[in-house]
Amino acid sequence: MKKRIALILTLVGLLAVLSACSQVNTPITAESEGIWNQYFVYPLSWLITYVANLFGANYGLSIIVVTIIIRLAILPLMIKQTQNSKAMQAIQPELKELQQKYASKDPKTQQKLQQETMALFQRHGVNPLAGCFPLVIQMPILIGFYHAIMRTAEIANHSFLWFDLGDKDPFYILPLIAGLTTFLQQKMMMHGMENNPQMKMMLYIMPVMIVVFAVSFPAALSLYWVVGNIFMIVQTYFIKGPVKTEVNTTGGAKK
């Protein structure tokens, strides 16, 4: 499991690096050639510019609106992810029993644990990697946003609130908010699975990665992250509902 997660993160990181280094200083226009430019970067650039013109050349507000539009477009995928998260939460007792049953560090025992765990996932229709799929789907969009922001002169020439959209946040407020909202969103998605070491690792790695990227990238991209995370937090709240407490037979409360 750890190897699979590491592989996915490595591939995503490699894609980000390769895409960020390609044509990033070349202005994007309707005449730009290539599948990446024609189907990812230019449509996003055009949409951001079009919406900005609707709001009096307010590109910050445009990025917020376009982010919400994109989130609504991938909402079915995110709902499926949330449902998978709830299913993972439901099988946690059985998963703990397997871990206790095969607690030995013997390689054969650990191999048996992996086989039993995968069989448990299959019986309940749970995909342990489903939480990574939305990240993989979002990466082309996120990188496309980065290119659209960097390669659309109008965006770089406008400011929003206290920051310039084409430059880094001078006070690092947006990167910190992006990291915090990423943590809160991950925490809500992983509720009930905190004892899963892989999930716990992702809970802390992802916010750190987001902060590192947000500090290095233009503030417009951080704005996209923050709005997207807030959308996800609200979405998760309404799909999964608030954390409920139940009264057990001894009179105590349990979640």
Side-chain angles (χ1 to χ4, degrees), residues 3-253:
K3 292 182 179 180
R4 291 182 180 180
I5 293 177
L7 177 60
I8 290 175
L9 290 177
T10 300
L11 292 175
V12 169
L14 181 60
L15 176 62
V17 171
L18 291 177
S19 298
C21 294
S22 174
Q23 300 181 332
V24 71
N25 294 319
T26 305
I28 185 69
T29 66
E31 288 73 34
S32 298
E33 299 180 350
I35 295 176
W36 174 248
N37 288 327
Q38 293 178 353
Y39 295 100
F40 285 91
V41 183
Y42 180 71
L44 284 170
S45 175
W46 177 88
L47 182 59
I48 293 172
T49 302
Y50 177 79
V51 175
N53 290 333
L54 295 179
F55 292 99
N58 190 327
Y59 280 84
L61 186 57
S62 173
I63 289 174
I64 294 175
V65 172
V66 173
T67 300
I68 294 175
I69 291 174
I70 292 174
R71 289 292 176 173
L72 288 174
I74 63 174
L75 184 59
L77 178 65
M78 306 309 294
I79 290 175
K80 189 171 183 179
Q81 179 199 17
T82 304
Q83 292 172 339
N84 187 81
S85 174
K86 292 177 69 175
M88 280 289 292
Q89 180 181 345
I91 66 173
Q92 286 304 301
E94 295 181 65
L95 192 58
K96 289 179 181 179
E97 289 181 7
L98 286 177
Q99 292 171 346
Q100 293 174 355
K101 181 179 179 181
Y102 299 101
S104 172
K105 298 299 182 180
D106 179 73
K108 292 184 178 180
T109 303
Q110 288 300 302
Q111 184 178 5
K112 183 65 175 178
L113 172 60
Q114 291 181 5
Q115 293 173 350
E116 293 288 339
T117 300
M118 293 307 299
L120 176 64
F121 290 156
Q122 291 176 358
R123 285 200 304 273
H124 293 273
V126 174
N127 184 352
L129 294 180
C132 298
F133 292 154
L135 176 63
V136 175
I137 295 296
Q138 290 180 67
M139 282 309 295
I141 299 174
L142 181 60
I143 298 170
F145 243 83
Y146 170 71
H147 274 248
I149 291 167
M150 294 294 292
R151 299 167 63 184
T152 304
E154 291 84 356
I155 296 177
N157 293 331
H158 285 77
S159 60
F160 183 67
L161 298 178
W162 67 88
F163 51 87
D164 292 328
L165 292 170
D167 204 352
K168 303 172 185 177
D169 183 345
F171 305 112
Y172 303 107
I173 296 175
L174 277 180
L176 292 177
I177 296 177
L180 176 60
T181 52
T182 298
F183 177 81
L184 291 176
Q185 184 261 320
Q186 294 273 101
K187 187 75 171 177
M188 292 178 68
M189 290 293 298
M190 297 178 185
H191 174 69
M193 297 181 289
E194 291 85 354
N195 294 328
N196 185 309
Q198 288 80 29
M199 294 293 184
K200 193 171 184 179
M201 178 178 64
M202 292 296 293
L203 176 63
Y204 294 100
I205 288 179
M206 284 305 299
V208 173
M209 289 177 59
I210 293 296
V211 171
V212 171
F213 287 143
V215 167
S216 305
F217 289 164
L221 197 66
S222 299
L223 180 62
Y224 165 77
W225 256 315
V226 170
V227 175
N229 285 340
I230 293 175
F231 185 97
M232 280 291 297
I233 290 171
V234 175
Q235 168 197 302
T236 304
Y237 178 86
F238 282 105
I239 294 176
K240 297 185 71 172
V243 177
K244 298 179 180 180
T245 56
E246 300 174 0
V247 179
N248 59 27
T249 54
T250 61

